[in-house]
Each structure stands twice: as structure tokens, then as C-alpha cells.
Amino acid sequence: MSRWAFELRLLARDRGARVVLIGWIALLAYAGYGGWSAVQALRADQARFVEAAAQERAAERERMVAVEAGSAPADAYVGVPSILRSPVVMPLPALAALDLGLLDRANLTLRVSLFSGPQHSAKGRELQSPLLLTAGRFDLGFVAIVLLPLALLALLFALPGDDRGNGRLPLLAAQTPLSSFYLRQHILRTLALLLPLAAISAATAIAAGGMSALTGWLFWLVPLLGWALLWSGACALLGSRTASAATALAWLVTLWVTLLWLLPAAVDTLASRLAPTPSALSLLGAERAAAQEGQRRRDELFGAYVSDHPELSVETAQDALAWTRRYYVQQRFIADAMTAPKAAAEARLAAHRQLRGQLIWLSPAQALTAASERMAGVDLTSLSRFMSAADAHKQAWDDALFRPLLAGRTLGTAELDRLPRFVAPPSVAGVWTALLLLTQLSLLALLLWLAARWRVLATGH
Amino acid sequence: MSTSFALQVGQEAAHTLRLWRRDGRLLALLVLVCGWFAAAALIGVDGARAWQIEAEQADQLDHATWIGQGAGNPHSVAHFGQYAFKPAAPLQWFDPGVTGALGIGVWMEAHYQNPATLRPIESQDGEVLPRSAAALLQWGLPLLLVVAGASLWAGERESGRLRLQWVQGARPAALLLGKAMMLLGLAALLWLPLALAAWIFDASRGAWLALVYGLYASIWVLTTLAVSLLSRSSRGALAGLLGLWLLTTVIAPRLLANAANQVAPLSSPEAFWTSVRAGHAAGIDGHSSADARRTELLQTTLAEYGVEREEDLPVSFAGIAMQAGEEHANTVYDHHYGQLWQQLAAQDSWRLRLAVFSPLPALDQLSQWAAGSDWRHHRHFADAAELHRRELQRFLNGDLTRHGKAQGSAYRAGPELWAAAPRWSYRPPDVSEVVFPSAALGVLTAWLALIGALLFVGLRRAQQEASP
């Protein structure tokens, strides 16, 4: 029997290891199911939204057809540009089932119209469960980043310590090089945790996105391999340099607390102090002031607009849409007034994110979280790209509709069918981030392994 | 307590202190946890103060914007509305609770009861794990106790010191009490600063926080001793306690919150607003002249004033219709928001039912309640904002009704009306004004009783070991 097979049998006989592995598989299964069901629920919500928007559009088109065919009387409110709305839906990435990231707090469905852009149409969406938002999702990302190290500690902390405690170490050292013996043990136990993670995450990815999701899944998994190696190295180093298994365990838990709690908190605090995020309240204040100014000067603004665009000046006493036209001009005034404050806020936010993005390379847990969310397409960057695409769509929508609106004209079915539709931005894969992280973590793990005192253990000094 | 018993307790406490002073890993963890607790509290105080200042400034700016509107139609002004900004919760620096997920500003406009917007969570990157001062106490305190206390009994049994103690006539209860006192003293290193600081900020809330965290610390002191008493080796005790700590403080809070959300999910925002729109459509909206209910209201109004035509009314019917629309919308919002609060209560209730796996959800509810950062305190704010919104709409529609008759939609009111409008002001509730989560306290007490019973079993076993 080969050494590997023999050591595998030893592992299978270890009751403590069996308990850890069963618990590990149960947690993975729950997390996989939770991620998959959350994605299904979000998809169902989006499907309802798309269906409602399609029905709304079909009903409006039907009224237009009736007016065009003469079967219904002309109506100033049928085909009026300001009531048309365009649905904007963020395609849910299949790998979101592995890591839901920031999806719970994002607005995944929006309605764009002449009067409301993506930000405004998100009004009233703040009704998600505060409990869930605060606690976070129990998904495979959480299990792999937070719990995998703990499961590894449970399987590896006692490796040299117990053998030393019960006097087996000299015997082992006489039979085999200790470093290769413990290396085999570490590899076996790490694989015992990684294989269920790989299998369940692959099954979740396939269930949520089909076989095509497997490439993304592979790159999602790659940095986690480095993470597991890093913790295996830490266990080897502390296990070989402490007097007992219990002492090694206490130090390893302290390390876990440092890497998972203290370091991320320190990095975020530092990033917030050095590059503070913009104040949402002051931006709101600026917007309210601009809205008040626009409202106060509505007639004046409209007059100026019409004098700049004489071809659009059709207002008459019978113009049913006079208020709407003025309101639209007012909205454009607010949008113009907000350009500078918004740009300043976005620049501040970009500076904060850039700094944080650099600092998290010092904090493996945060770098992993960022890589996992990026691969799953649920990080801040992906959500910002979606909102930027929605803003661009709003611009295209306005460009297509403001002339008919200001000309006091309603749309026909041909124009309705030609209106722009939202096109989601392509997702950006973080393949290089994943590979870089694997390299960084593996090198760290190698250093830790090399720093372990196997030779000293073997000679007993 | 006899003198010899007290002496034994004192000697054991001194012995425990000597052991700890030699333990480098415990000192390292103590410095880490205490240092980070102090840092988290300072960062929390700074953040809460900045929040408070910003909310006050935003409130003043919004009031100035409101006053400076110039002439306008009261209904246009009603659509512009006012903003209500939530002040920082009394002890938010310690436990921010769900404040970050619930928004800090409510737009109080005509026709709509908006939920609070500007959620701090929206501009934040994801946290790997929660890191407020409260979170530090919730996981750091048990970890400290576990590392310090796992080997207190089991280790001394292994080393043979206990057998020596029994031969010398030591009483197990005295040894146990000495160790428990030292563990409680260790917990007090974190608990006392909390109690003092909380008491300085808000005495009654501080007292509650001190009580619930005292209970929590006691649960972990008893758990640590019970497991150490019942374990065969110090290694087994440490592994078992760390496993318990992992389950109850790292895995359970997130797992139970997810499970509660699955069992009692909230309506999606899309479904919520679809239902609200349907409710609106079923009643008068105030704007549409083709609305049958508006016609009915007109008939009633005409009868009330004893005239036959709208033109003969001495007041503006538009204002009356607007207010009727508001009254109808209010019933719709009361129904749907009422359901939303019930759903949140159901999630809390489910989380407590699952608290058999961990005392943390119960502590979490109590801690947030005492700190003023739970959803019930948020509801107090949201309800106050909604009452103000309704009062404001009534005021503006009343003016439209009284003065809007002659000019119709061209009617413009002046700045004196905006100055006379009700001014938003809000005082956060005292702790006694918000529903006390008594079930959570019951769960925490039950945990204490259960662990106390387990410790008693361990003590009986130790007494059998000690008897000759």
C-alpha cells in the first residue's frame, strides 16, 4: 500500500476529522443552495418586472394603433413622450450564485423615462431586509473565505503537536523525513476540504448558469487554492514552532482574528481616513437647491429654451402638455446644475476606491473577497458599469424623445418601435486578479512552509 | 462563607492570575481584543458625531431651501416637499445595528410615503465580518474567555495539581468560584469601559447595555468552566470551546439571519410598490377630473356648501380633492407599511426561535434596542416623518382650498406661507418608549440557566473526584 493510501486511511479513521468534514460539507451544501435560491428569486423578480413593462408597452402601443387606425378618437395623452418608460435590467451573472456580493443592496431593475433617470427611478427601492443586509449572505464566498481557514485549522493544528505530545515524533522521524510526512498530511487534509468546495461550487454554478459558467467558476476557485495553501503553511509554521497542539491552536485562532477581522478593519479605516467618501447629504442638499431654483424659474427657463429652439415653439392655450414641457426643461436645468457637484463627488469616490483597491493587497481576506465578487460580477465596479450604461441609455432616451415632447407632438407606433432599448454592458472578468492572487498567496505559503522547523523537530533540539 | 472557603477562593484566584501572566498567547490576544475594542469605540464615536453634525447641517440647509422658494403653487411646493434627517442613535457609536441598512433621510412629498433613502451601506464596500465595538464584544469577549479558561480545570487535572488539591482538602466549589471570579474579572476589562462609557452617553440605555452584556459574559464564563470541567484534556477543552465559539459567534449569526429571511421573506420592493399603486388606483387620486370618486366627492361638497355648481363653491374644490387623495393614500400606506413592519417583526421572531443554536441573535436584538439602532427605533423615526408629511400636506391643501378658488392652477402663495408651514423636528425616543424585546431577554436568561445547569453537573463530577 502506498504511503498516500495509508495516510488517507488514517485520516478516514480520525473521528474529529470526520466530524469537521461532515460539518464542512453540510455548510457548503446550505451555502450553495442559499446562493442558487437567491439568484432564482432575483431572476423571478426581474422576470415579473420585464413582463409588467412589456404589458405596459403593449397596452400603449394598442392605444396608438387604435388612434392611427381611426378606431379611437385622437387623444393628447396617447403616445405622449413623457409617459413612455424604458425598462432597464441588470443581467444576473450566473456566478452570483457563488457569491452574491453587493447584489442585495443594488437596484437591478430600473425604469427610465424623460423625467427620471436611473438614480431617481431607484427611489423607493430601499425596502430590502435590514437584517439580511447587515448580517450578509451565507453564500459560498463567505464559506470559502471566512470558514475555510477555520476548517483547515481544525484539521491541521494538531499535526506535529499531538505526535510530540504522545511521544510518536522520534519514531516518525526515524522512519521518514518529517517534512515530507507532514507535507503529505497537509496535502491530503487540504484536499479533503477543497474537493467538496470545488464539487459543490461547480454544481451551484452549473445549476445557476449551465455548463458555460464553468470557466468563470474555475477562475473563482483559483485564488481560494492559494488561500488554502497559505493557511496550510501557517499551520505548518506555528505547529512546528510551538510546544503543544493547544498552543498552536490558540496562536492560529489569533492569526485568523488578525487576518479576517483586524486587518480588514484597519485597511478600511485607513482608506476612509486618507481618502474619505463623498457626503451623500451634501450632494442631496445641492440637488434640492437646484430643484428649488429650477422650480422658481420654471417659466423663465422654458421661455429661454423656446427662444433658443424656435422650431419647438408650438405652445398654445390649448396645449395640454404645457406643464409637462416646462417640467422637462426644469429637469434639464437641475441635471446641468448637478453636473459639477456630481463630478466632484464621483472623483472623490474614485480616489477612495483606488486607494482601497491598492491597500487591500495587504489584506488577503479583502483581496480574496474583491476577487471573488469580481469573478462573480457582483462587485462595486460591475454595479457601477451597469449604472453608467443605464445613464447612457437615459441620455439616448432623452435625445430620442425631447424633440417630440417640446414640439407638443405625440408618437406613432413606428417611432415607438424605433426607440432605443437598453443594452447591458459586457461583464469584465478578473482573470488576472485571480491569477495574481494565487501567485501571491502561494508564494507566502511557500515561505511559511520553508520557515517551519522540521529539521529541528526531527533531531529533537 | 467560612474563612477557609474564602481563603481557598482567594488562593485559587491568585493562582489563576499567575498562570495567565505566564501565558504569552493570552496576553497577545488580550492586547489585540482590548486595543481593537478601544479603537472601534473611538471610531464609532467619531462616526456618530460626524453623522449628527451632518444631519443637523442638512436639516438647516433643507429648511433654508424650503423658506427661500419664492412664490409658488402650494401643490407644486407639496411635491417639492421637505426632508427629514435621522439623528444619530443615542449609542450608535457602540452598536450601529441596522442603521446603515435603513437610510437616513426621508423625502416628505405629496402623495408618497417614501422609505428612508441615503443608506450608508450603499457607498460602502462589503465587510468581511462586522467590526463595530459591539461586534468586537460579541465575538472578542468569548474568544478571550475561551483561550484564558479552557485549560483552567482540564489542564490542572492533566498536570495532577487537582489531585494534590483534593489531598490537601480543597473544595471543588471554592476552586471553581476562584476561577470563575478571575474569568469574570477578565471579562470586566472589556465590560467595565463599555458600562462606564455607555452610562456617560445615556444612563438608562447604558444600564441596559451593561446588563445584557453582563449576562452574555456570564454565559461564556460558565460555558468555559463547564466545558473545562467536563473535558478529559485541556486540548479537548480548547478545541471544543473554540468549535462552540466558531459555531455560535461566526457561523450562527449569519446562518440564522439567512434562515429567518428564507422562512419569513420581505416583499420585494417591486411587489411592494405594485401593491401600493393598485391601492392608489382603487381610490381618488386628487388629480384626475375623470375620476368617478372625484365626482362623488364634488357632489358631497356641493351639498355641504348648499350650492349646485363647482363654480359657486366659496372654496377651491381642487384643494379639497387633493386632500381627499391624500387621505385615501394614507390608508393604503398604513396598510402596506404596517405589513412591512410585521414582516420585520416576523424575521426577528424567527431568528429568536433559532436562538437555540446561539445566544447571539438574542443579545444582538437587545443590544440594538438599548443602543437605539434597531428597526423599531427606525420605525419611530419613519412614523414621525410620516405624521409630519401628512400634517404638511393638510396645511398646504388647506391653503389651496381657502385661497386657490379665484386663480385656479395659477394661484401662487408667497414665502410667508412656507415660513408658517409646520417645521420638522424630531427627538429620538427614550428607551422606555420603544417596545422592549422581552423574548430576547428570556432567551438569554434561558441560555444562562442551561449553562448553569451544565456547570452544576460538572461540579458534581468534580466533587466525586475530590471525595476520598
Side-chain angles (χ1 to χ4, degrees):
Chain A
M1 190 189 295
S2 76
R3 284 177 175 173
W4 288 96
F6 175 72
E7 280 157 20
L8 192 61
R9 280 182 59 185
L10 280 183
L11 175 64
R13 279 189 204 160
D14 183 341
R15 205 175 63 176
R18 280 207 305 271
V19 170
V20 170
L21 285 174
I22 289 169
W24 174 245
I25 291 169
L27 288 175
L28 283 173
Y30 179 75
Y33 169 73
W36 174 80
S37 61
V39 167
Q40 295 303 104
L42 289 172
R43 280 184 179 154
D45 262 359
Q46 288 194 336
R48 276 195 292 274
F49 171 81
V50 169
E51 194 186 334
Q55 281 175 358
E56 194 179 290
R57 170 73 68 102
E60 185 61 19
R61 197 174 191 286
E62 207 173 298
R63 282 193 289 273
M64 287 179 182
V65 169
V67 170
E68 283 172 7
S71 57
D75 186 337
Y77 289 97
V78 171
V80 63
S82 56
I83 64 163
L84 297 174
R85 293 186 293 179
S86 173
V88 170
V89 177
M90 177 173 161
L92 274 180
L95 294 184
L98 302 181
D99 190 333
L100 285 146
L102 307 179
L103 276 192
D104 282 322
R105 55 176 99 156
N107 296 299
L108 308 175
T109 52
L110 306 162
R111 282 188 180 87
V112 164
S113 74
L114 267 180
F115 292 156
S116 61
Q119 305 294 343
H120 188 261
S121 73
K123 185 188 106 175
R125 312 273 311 164
E126 298 85 356
L127 293 168
Q128 295 102 337
S129 163
L131 174 66
L132 193 63
L133 286 176
T134 311
R137 287 276 186 179
F138 195 91
D139 53 19
L140 285 165
F142 170 76
V143 174
I145 294 165
V146 177
L147 302 185
L148 175 65
L150 289 166
L152 272 167
L153 300 196
L155 288 187
L156 299 175
F157 81 94
L159 272 185
D162 273 1
D163 291 333
R164 185 162 34 198
N166 60 26
R168 269 191 352 132
L169 201 62
L171 200 64
L172 276 172
Q175 290 172 345
T176 179
L178 281 184
S179 56
S180 59
F181 172 75
Y182 284 117
L183 182 62
R184 280 196 300 277
Q185 290 277 330
H186 273 247
I187 290 173
L188 270 180
R189 286 163 191 250
T190 306
L191 279 179
L193 293 174
L194 280 181
L195 286 178
L197 171 64
I200 290 174
S201 58
T204 307
I206 291 170
M211 296 302 283
S212 60
L214 278 181
T215 314
W217 160 80
L218 188 65
F219 285 103
W220 177 81
L221 196 67
V222 155
L224 296 173
L225 179 65
W227 186 229
L229 290 177
L230 177 73
W231 281 98
S232 165
C235 289
L237 177 71
L238 287 168
S240 69
R241 283 176 176 260
T242 46
S244 69
T247 307
L249 181 58
W251 279 116
L252 283 166
V253 170
T254 307
L255 182 68
W256 182 84
V257 168
T258 307
L259 287 188
L260 270 295
W261 245 306
L262 303 187
L263 200 52
V267 162
D268 279 345
T269 306
L270 197 62
S272 300
R273 299 271 146 177
L274 295 179
T277 50
S279 158
L281 284 180
S282 60
L283 201 62
L284 174 74
E287 194 170 285
R288 297 271 295 161
Q292 184 242 57
E293 176 80 359
Q295 184 154 315
R296 202 160 52 82
R297 295 173 49 200
R298 186 183 291 170
D299 290 338
E300 177 200 332
L301 290 169
F302 185 71
Y305 202 88
V306 169
S307 79
D308 286 348
H309 300 273
E311 78 281 9
L312 302 175
S313 175
V314 295
E315 189 181 14
T316 66
Q318 287 77 40
D319 183 4
L321 304 173
W323 182 88
T324 308
R325 286 143 41 87
R326 282 176 165 75
Y327 184 73
Y328 174 68
V329 172
Q330 181 193 338
Q331 294 303 304
R332 284 182 73 101
F333 169 80
I334 296 170
D336 288 345
M338 287 306 293
T339 306
K342 271 188 178 166
E346 277 164 17
R348 261 183 103 172
L349 193 61
H352 170 80
R353 287 192 186 150
Q354 190 185 7
L355 178 66
R356 187 179 180 276
Q358 290 161 350
L359 287 175
I360 60 172
W361 284 94
L362 301 173
S363 168
Q366 280 173 299
L368 267 173
T369 305
S372 169
E373 288 177 353
R374 167 61 66 88
M375 281 311 302
V378 293
D379 59 332
L380 264 182
T381 311
S382 303
L383 297 178
S384 302
R385 283 166 59 80
F386 166 67
M387 288 308 279
S388 300
D391 278 329
H393 176 63
K394 156 75 175 164
Q395 192 58 53
W397 188 259
D398 283 4
D399 290 346
L401 289 176
F402 90 100
R403 281 179 175 273
L405 175 82
L406 289 183
R409 195 163 62 73
T410 55
L411 297 192
T413 50
E415 274 179 300
L416 180 73
D417 295 339
R418 280 200 306 272
L419 284 176
R421 287 169 190 270
F422 176 70
V423 180
S427 58
V428 179
V431 171
W432 286 110
T433 312
L435 293 177
L436 203 61
L437 204 51
L438 171 69
T439 314
Q440 185 201 23
L441 295 176
S442 306
L443 283 175
L444 267 174
L446 186 65
L447 282 177
L448 293 174
W449 258 97
L450 292 176
R453 297 197 302 182
W454 303 119
R455 199 169 296 166
V456 177
L457 278 181
T459 55
H461 299 296
Chain B
M1 197 188 290
S2 69
T3 314
S4 69
F5 186 87
L7 196 64
Q8 280 180 26
V9 170
Q11 282 171 346
E12 192 56 28
H15 168 71
T16 306
L17 188 60
R18 273 197 301 278
L19 281 181
W20 284 348
R21 283 169 62 184
R22 287 185 216 138
D23 192 344
R25 58 197 182 152
L26 177 64
L27 287 176
L29 195 62
L30 185 66
V31 169
L32 268 183
V33 172
C34 289
W36 192 253
F37 176 69
L42 287 176
I43 291 168
V45 169
D46 192 39
R49 200 178 49 198
W51 172 314
Q52 186 66 30
I53 291 170
E54 225 183 336
E56 282 168 11
Q57 285 173 346
D59 182 60
Q60 284 165 9
L61 180 65
D62 198 65
H63 186 63
T65 307
W66 169 264
I67 294 288
Q69 287 183 97
N73 182 280
H75 191 63
S76 289
V77 169
H79 272 288
F80 182 70
Q82 297 178 346
Y83 254 88
F85 296 102
K86 189 161 80 167
L91 294 174
Q92 183 178 314
W93 62 268
F94 171 70
D95 190 346
V98 293
T99 47
L102 281 171
I104 55 178
V106 175
W107 184 16
M108 302 176 292
E109 60 168 332
H111 311 310
Y112 293 101
Q113 180 179 351
N114 294 308
T117 55
L118 307 172
R119 295 180 298 179
I121 203 168
E122 281 170 21
S123 59
Q124 290 167 358
D125 292 278
E127 287 183 354
V128 181
L129 290 165
R131 55 181 74 143
S132 62
L136 258 292
L137 264 192
Q138 289 169 10
W139 64 260
L141 180 63
L143 182 63
L144 199 60
L145 292 172
V146 162
V147 173
S151 61
L152 278 187
W153 198 277
E156 301 203 340
R157 191 195 286 127
E158 269 176 333
S159 69
R161 178 178 176 265
L162 280 186
R163 201 173 302 154
L164 206 62
Q165 292 280 321
W166 307 150
V167 172
Q168 291 172 348
R171 293 163 65 180
L175 300 195
L176 196 66
L177 192 59
K179 292 175 191 302
M181 276 171 54
M182 289 313 292
L183 281 175
L184 283 170
L186 190 63
L189 284 181
L190 287 169
W191 178 83
L192 260 182
L194 157 72
L196 270 176
W199 182 75
I200 290 167
F201 277 81
D202 187 319
S204 55
R205 290 179 184 277
W208 274 108
L209 273 185
L211 172 73
V212 297
Y213 279 92
L215 270 176
Y216 184 63
S218 306
I219 288 173
W220 275 99
V221 166
L222 298 190
T223 305
T224 306
L225 286 174
V227 173
S228 189
L229 267 167
L230 295 168
S231 296
R232 286 192 207 137
S233 66
S234 57
R235 176 193 175 286
L238 183 63
L241 278 167
L242 282 176
L244 205 59
W245 171 79
L246 168 70
L247 275 175
T248 55
T249 64
V250 181
I251 296 178
R254 197 180 274 235
L255 192 72
L256 299 186
N258 278 255
N261 189 61
Q262 272 178 338
V263 180
L266 258 59
S267 309
S268 71
E270 193 61 34
F272 180 90
W273 289 109
T274 303
S275 307
V276 167
R277 277 194 293 272
H280 274 294
I284 186 168
D285 72 355
H287 279 290
S288 171
S289 56
D291 188 348
R293 290 176 192 82
R294 192 178 192 278
T295 313
E296 196 180 314
L297 177 68
L298 178 61
Q299 294 307 321
T300 314
T301 312
L302 293 177
E304 193 181 318
Y305 283 92
V307 293
E308 292 187 352
R309 296 181 310 159
E310 187 180 336
E311 299 87 87
D312 298 333
L313 280 172
V315 293
S316 161
F317 180 68
I320 293 173
M322 288 293 175
Q323 187 53 33
E326 289 292 337
E327 303 290 348
H328 170 71
N330 292 346
T331 60
V332 175
Y333 287 122
D334 285 344
H335 174 70
H336 290 288
Y337 275 97
Q339 277 188 336
L340 180 72
W341 301 127
Q342 278 176 8
Q343 287 169 347
L344 286 175
Q347 288 200 342
D348 267 0
S349 164
W350 271 104
R351 205 157 65 116
L352 274 188
R353 275 180 231 180
L354 299 170
V356 64
F357 299 106
S358 164
L360 208 46
L363 172 74
D364 199 30
Q365 275 189 28
L366 285 162
S367 173
Q368 288 181 13
W369 168 78
S373 58
D374 60 350
W375 66 264
R376 287 185 172 86
H377 279 78
H378 180 82
R379 181 183 179 178
H380 187 275
F381 164 74
D383 286 349
E386 177 57 12
L387 273 179
H388 177 79
R389 187 188 77 84
R390 292 178 185 185
E391 195 186 340
L392 183 65
Q393 296 310 315
R394 210 174 296 118
F395 174 82
L396 293 170
N397 287 332
D399 181 79
L400 191 63
T401 306
R402 285 190 302 277
H403 305 114
K405 165 76 182 165
Q407 295 163 281
S409 60
Y411 167 62
R412 298 282 183 274
E416 62 285 351
L417 185 68
W418 322 140
R423 171 92 200 261
W424 161 254
S425 69
Y426 178 67
R427 180 188 64 80
D430 287 334
V431 71
S432 56
E433 293 173 52
V434 179
V435 179
F436 173 62
S438 51
L441 188 63
V443 168
L444 217 52
T445 315
W447 264 90
L448 188 66
L450 189 76
I451 302 296
L454 194 67
L455 184 68
F456 184 70
V457 171
L459 182 64
R460 290 293 297 272
R461 191 182 288 183
Q463 280 167 340
Q464 283 166 5
E465 281 174 20
S467 58

